[in-house]
Amino acid sequence: MTKTRQFDIAAHFETDEDIREFLRLTANSGVTSDFICALNTAVRAKGMTEIAARAGVSRASLYKSLGDDGNPRFDTIAKIVEALGCKIIIS
């Protein structure tokens, strides 16, 4: 019997540029829930504890905000994006 595992793209990011490109492409899709999911993936790739500390939020709050039922405020999203070393740019 063949065993399979769920694919987790977070395990395949090798550089910060990989994460930035992933977030950029997802943000450009225009689907808010996809972007929140992408933020969750990026944060997991970098480490929840590290990003929570950089963003000035608790780990629990970060998990809750980026979870399936999360509905993060814009200021939380902005803090997370900045903690990931990215910027929000409108063009």
Side-chain angles (χ1 to χ4, degrees):
M1 177 177 248
T2 302
K3 289 188 173 189
T4 60
R5 290 181 276 158
Q6 186 173 3
F7 179 75
D8 183 7
I9 195 167
H12 298 278
F13 293 134
E14 295 180 0
T15 65
D16 289 344
E17 184 58 34
D18 291 342
I19 292 172
R20 278 190 294 275
E21 182 66 11
F22 176 67
L23 291 175
R24 186 184 66 75
L25 290 171
T26 307
N28 285 340
S29 77
V31 181
T32 305
S33 61
D34 287 352
F35 184 67
I36 300 304
C37 183
L39 276 179
N40 184 331
T41 301
V43 169
R44 285 187 298 104
K46 292 295 284 184
M48 284 283 188
T49 302
E50 178 183 340
I51 298 303
R54 286 185 190 177
V57 298
S58 70
R59 266 183 80 220
S61 173
L62 193 56
Y63 275 110
K64 183 178 178 182
S65 293
L66 298 178
D68 290 338
D69 295 328
N71 188 18
R73 295 173 28 161
F74 182 77
D75 63 327
T76 302
I77 291 171
K79 287 177 186 179
I80 295 167
V81 168
E82 185 176 326
L84 287 166
C86 300
K87 294 179 182 180
I88 297 174
I89 298 173
I90 310 295
S91 64

